[in-house]
């Protein structure tokens, strides 16, 4: 069975799980039924409990789906505390459905898989040893990778039914009112966790900072929370995000960033009230700085910035160059603090951010987005999930979702070391080429031939060479040579969903 | 030509390769460590071996630690290591270059 981006999908698994192959970026106007969680009613007495063990034993049963958020990133202390207890309790056959998995969780996830505690995983991504483990067939059932918007959709539709959500927060009161902004291990927006708080049957908050009732502003509300557990520490603030954002000095990244800025400024979207999203990579941060100068020079202001937020973006907010920041997560301390102090920085949940089955998500209003790529192919398909060696080492994140913007720019170097970034076919298709408009590399840009309007607009940019993407691919191949093809077995280790739940690619087990 | 001493060229910086040559008795034996072994291992070995052959080195132990070097870099580092190992760095064999 092939989908519309020519990817071979495993027919038996597709049929067994009743999955549909990816067809189109068009979502249309389907009517969908949302689900609602089971609620054990209470007046709120006895929510505050001492023993995490007791909460786990009373609530987590064989075969359940449990979830976590990844806002603490590599400073997370919550996941390992909870998973240790679950493994030691001998609970089996759980589905792990976190918003994403970070490196600090890897060891315990692998242990839980080996012991039969976890038998299925859905996540935005995975890296390091866990990626290696899964890519070499360590988990029996294929992992399902979803975008942040896709996860929100799956939760609302009931494709992910969370039995128990364990959510770490830097503050909470005894009834469960909590936010991500005050306390020791602060991370700002609770965007991804808000889905779990709203839709899980049981919501367990873990906090190291009990505050007087009622706690405001409450991002997670007492109406959603079953238990509040006091723990020693929920996270390491130094590892949650980079402290001060470093500005890249890499001349290649700076050249790419400058070119990205030229593309934006000369596009039809650069006008008063435009909106944009940038990622957290070195080039993306540099773009924000160049864009700032262009906005000042041209007296242009943005209506909003969206997505994962960094300090360079909140600086523009403070300067009045952006009217609003719509914030689903914060990548550094500066951005997290700004959410606390600036009421023009709005916390949004993953559904509001990017859910395609919605009455309108923020990404649908987005003019310009700058995204990165591990690989991009001559069909403009982008891979942010697996390395050129076939091993899982990334995350869908908001890539597919934000790529629905009116102008989607992929910024990437032509080659990284000996690996070509621009390739004939990506290892794994994550974002379909239909939603990608311009590729910016250090040698020049390639415009998706479907965007004739952009080709006309951008054809005479001073200092920017335009190539066809095939030319860029050949240039890369000439530099690095042609790699031996990666060998796979027949076993499917992961499926990548498009944001609407159709399957855009399958990842096979890598031969040892 | 016989290798006279163990010699090294190159660094462990990204996009470089470090080549160490020492005496051997059983032909050219390449031990390669590379993140792109799967994709480019054969090619890297081929470049190293062909440079050694051009110096008429028939027996050598090669330890190569690759950090994603391009062929031109691999070639340059192997030439330098060879000249040092053969103690001809002061009078290079221009025809090999």
């Amino acid at each position: 069975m092939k989908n519309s981006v020519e990817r071979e999908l495993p027919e038996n698994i597709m049929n067994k799980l009743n999955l549909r192959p990816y067809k189109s970026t068009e979502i249309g106007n389907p009517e969908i039924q949302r689900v609602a969680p089971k609620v054990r009613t209470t007046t709120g007495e006895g929510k505050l409990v001492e023993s995490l063990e007791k909460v786990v034993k009373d609530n987590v049963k064989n075969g359940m789906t449990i979830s976590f958020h990844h806002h603490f990133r590599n400073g997370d202390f919550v996941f390992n505390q909870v998973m240790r207890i679950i493994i030691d309790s001998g609970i089996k056959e759980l589905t792990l459905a976190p918003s994403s998995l970070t490196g600090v969780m890897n060891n315990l996830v692998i242990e839980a898989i080996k012991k039969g505690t976890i038998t299925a995983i859905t996540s935005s991504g995975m890296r390091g040893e866990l990626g290696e483990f899964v890519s070499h067939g360590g988990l029996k059932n294929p992992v399902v990778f979803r975008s942040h918007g896709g996860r929100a959709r799956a939760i609302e539709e009931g494709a992910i039914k969370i039995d128990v959500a364990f959510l770490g927060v830097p503050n909470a009161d005894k009834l469960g009112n909590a936010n991500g902004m005050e306390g020791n291990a602060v991370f700002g927006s609770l965007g991804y966790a808000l889905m779990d708080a709203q839709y899980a049957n049981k919501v367990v908050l873990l906090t190291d900072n009990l505050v007087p009732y009622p706690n405001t502003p409450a991002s997670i509300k007492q109406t959603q929370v079953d238990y509040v557990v006091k723990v020693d520490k929920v996270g390491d603030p130094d590892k949650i995000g980079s402290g001060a954002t470093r500005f890249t000095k890499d001349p290649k990244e700076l050249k790419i960033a400058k070119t990205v800025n030229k593309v934006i400024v000369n596009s039809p979207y650069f006008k008063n009230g435009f909106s944009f999203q940038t990622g957290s990579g070195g080039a993306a941060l540099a773009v924000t700085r160049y864009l700032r100068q262009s906005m000042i020079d041209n007296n242009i202001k943005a209506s909003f910035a969206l997505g994962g937020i960094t300090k360079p973006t909140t600086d523009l907010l403070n300067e009045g160059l952006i009217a609003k920041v719509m914030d689903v997560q914060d990548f550094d301390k500066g951005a997290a603090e700004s959410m606390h102090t600036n009421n023009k920085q709005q916390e949004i949940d993953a559904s509001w951010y990017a859910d395609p089955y919605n009455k309108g998500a923020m990404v649908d209003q987005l003019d310009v987005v700058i995204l990165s790529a591990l690989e991009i192919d001559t069909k403009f398909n982008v891979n942010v999930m697996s390395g050129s060696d076939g091993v899982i080492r990334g995350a869908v994140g908001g890539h597919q979702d934000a790529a629905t913007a009116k102008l989607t720019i992929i910024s990437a170097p032509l080659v990284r070391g000996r690996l070509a970034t621009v390739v004939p076919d990506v290892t794994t298709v994550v974002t379909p080429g239909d939603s990608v408009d311009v590729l910016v590399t250090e040698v020049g840009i390639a415009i998706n031939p479907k965007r004739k309007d952009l080709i006309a607009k951008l054809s005479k940019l001073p200092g920017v060479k335009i190539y066809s993407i095939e030319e860029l691919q050949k240039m890369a191949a000439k530099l690095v040579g042609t790699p031996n093809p990666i060998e796979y077995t027949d076993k499917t280790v992961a499926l990548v969903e498009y944001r609407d739940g159709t399957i855009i690619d399958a990842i096979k087990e890598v031969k040892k | 030509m016989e290798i006279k001493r163990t010699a090294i060229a190159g660094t462990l910086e990204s996009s470089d390769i470090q080549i160490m040559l020492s005496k051997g008795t059983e032909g050219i034996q390449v031990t390669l460590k590379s993140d792109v072994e799967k994709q480019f291992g054969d090619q890297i070995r081929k470049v190293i071996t062909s440079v050694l052959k051009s110096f008429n080195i028939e027996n050598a132990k090669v330890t190569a630690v690759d950090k994603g070097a391009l062929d031109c870099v691999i070639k340059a580092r192997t030439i330098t290591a060879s000249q040092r190992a053969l103690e001809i760095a002061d009078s290079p064999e221009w025809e090999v270059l």
Side-chain angles (χ1 to χ4, degrees), chain A residues 381-396:
Chain A
N381 297 319
V382 178
N383 168 27
V384 286
M385 180 51 73
S386 46
S388 307
D389 56 358
V391 175
I392 297 164
R393 67 181 61 198
V396 185

Side-chain angles (χ1 to χ4, degrees), chain A residues 80 132 144 151 272 292 329 368 417 425 456-457 477 485-486 509:
Chain A
N80 287 344
E132 293 271 354
V144 180
R151 179 179 191 261
N272 240 344
R292 170 184 174 272
Q329 74 172 323
V368 180
D425 288 287
K457 271 267 178 190
I486 301 300
E509 178 189 14

Side-chain angles (χ1 to χ4, degrees), chain A residues 416-418, chain B residues 13-17 66-70 73:
Chain A
R416 290 186 177 93
R418 193 166 185 159
Chain B
E13 298 289 323
S14 43
S15 297
D16 201 349
I17 185 168
D66 172 58
K67 299 285 175 188
L70 301 177
V73 176

Side-chain angles (χ1 to χ4, degrees), chain A residues 31-74:
Chain A
E31 264 189 18
I32 57 121
Q33 181 62 54
R34 286 194 182 161
V35 296
K38 249 182 219 150
V39 176
R40 184 188 161 272
T41 57
T42 166
T43 54
E45 290 308 308
K47 275 194 196 181
L48 187 61
V49 288
E50 289 288 318
S51 164
L52 184 58
E53 281 86 354
K54 191 166 166 16
V55 172
V56 167
K57 279 173 189 159
D58 288 351
N59 293 283
V60 183
K61 309 286 176 208
N62 291 349
M64 279 188 167
T65 296
I66 58 168
S67 78
F68 300 83
H69 68 69
H70 72 292
H71 285 290
F72 290 111
R73 284 178 288 274
N74 275 319

Side-chain angles (χ1 to χ4, degrees), chain A residues 388-389 417-418 480 483-484 510, chain B residues 38-40 42-43 68-69 71:
Chain A
S388 307
D389 56 358
R418 193 166 185 159
V480 300
N484 294 335
V510 177
Chain B
K38 273 190 204 166
Q39 301 98 311
F40 291 105
D42 297 342
Q43 175 65 14
D71 280 353

Side-chain angles (χ1 to χ4, degrees), chain A residues 57-299:
Chain A
K57 279 173 189 159
D58 288 351
N59 293 283
V60 183
K61 309 286 176 208
N62 291 349
M64 279 188 167
T65 296
I66 58 168
S67 78
F68 300 83
H69 68 69
H70 72 292
H71 285 290
F72 290 111
R73 284 178 288 274
N74 275 319
D76 192 300
F77 289 168
V78 168
F79 182 89
N80 287 344
Q81 284 182 61
V82 174
M83 197 50 76
R84 180 82 269 152
I85 295 170
I86 291 179
I87 293 172
D88 293 347
S89 314
I91 299 164
K92 303 282 180 209
E93 293 191 17
L94 297 180
T95 295
L96 180 63
S99 54
S100 196
L101 291 163
T102 59
V104 288
M105 307 170 186
N106 283 356
N107 288 343
L108 275 200
V109 176
I110 293 172
E111 185 186 333
I113 294 171
K114 284 182 174 165
K115 291 186 171 157
T117 311
I118 293 171
T119 48
I121 297 178
T122 173
S123 176
S124 164
M126 53 179 65
R127 292 180 173 82
E129 281 175 47
L130 179 59
E132 293 271 354
F133 181 77
V134 168
S135 291
H136 288 101
L139 183 66
K140 198 172 136 246
N141 297 307
V143 172
V144 180
F145 288 116
R146 293 180 165 103
S147 71
H148 293 318
R151 179 179 191 261
R153 170 198 50 74
I155 290 173
E156 290 170 350
E157 279 190 300
I160 301 175
K161 268 198 81 53
I162 302 164
D163 293 294
V164 189
F166 293 94
L167 306 175
V169 279
N171 62 72
D173 64 32
K174 60 180 182 178
L175 271 89
N177 297 300
N179 64 58
M181 298 179 287
E182 281 172 79
N184 184 39
V186 295
F187 47 75
S189 174
L190 263 163
Y192 303 130
L194 296 179
M195 299 309 301
D196 307 59
Q198 194 182 341
Y199 283 93
N201 284 342
K202 291 273 167 63
V203 175
V204 182
L205 292 192
L206 291 86
T207 189
D208 52 11
N209 179 25
L210 269 180
V211 297
Y213 180 86
N215 182 25
T216 61
S219 302
I220 293 175
K221 298 168 192 69
Q222 66 184 69
T223 54
Q224 305 170 319
V225 177
D226 295 88
Y227 300 98
V228 179
V229 187
K230 175 87 164 56
V231 295
D232 285 346
K233 269 193 171 139
V234 289
D236 177 352
D238 293 332
K239 291 184 182 155
I240 291 174
S242 46
T245 309
R246 278 171 298 120
F247 188 69
T248 182
K249 285 180 182 149
D250 182 339
K252 200 150 99 175
E253 281 189 340
L254 289 175
K255 171 109 195 270
I256 293 172
K258 263 187 202 162
T259 309
V260 169
N261 188 50
K262 277 184 194 166
V263 169
I264 296 172
V265 170
N266 291 282
S267 78
Y269 308 106
F270 189 63
K271 54 188 183 203
N272 240 344
F274 84 112
S275 59
F276 69 94
Q277 174 168 345
T278 63
S280 63
L285 293 172
V287 171
T288 309
R289 184 183 277 200
Y290 293 126
L291 189 59
R292 170 184 174 272
Q293 196 55 49
S294 298
M295 289 168 78
I296 294 170
D297 294 346
N298 294 284
N299 196 23

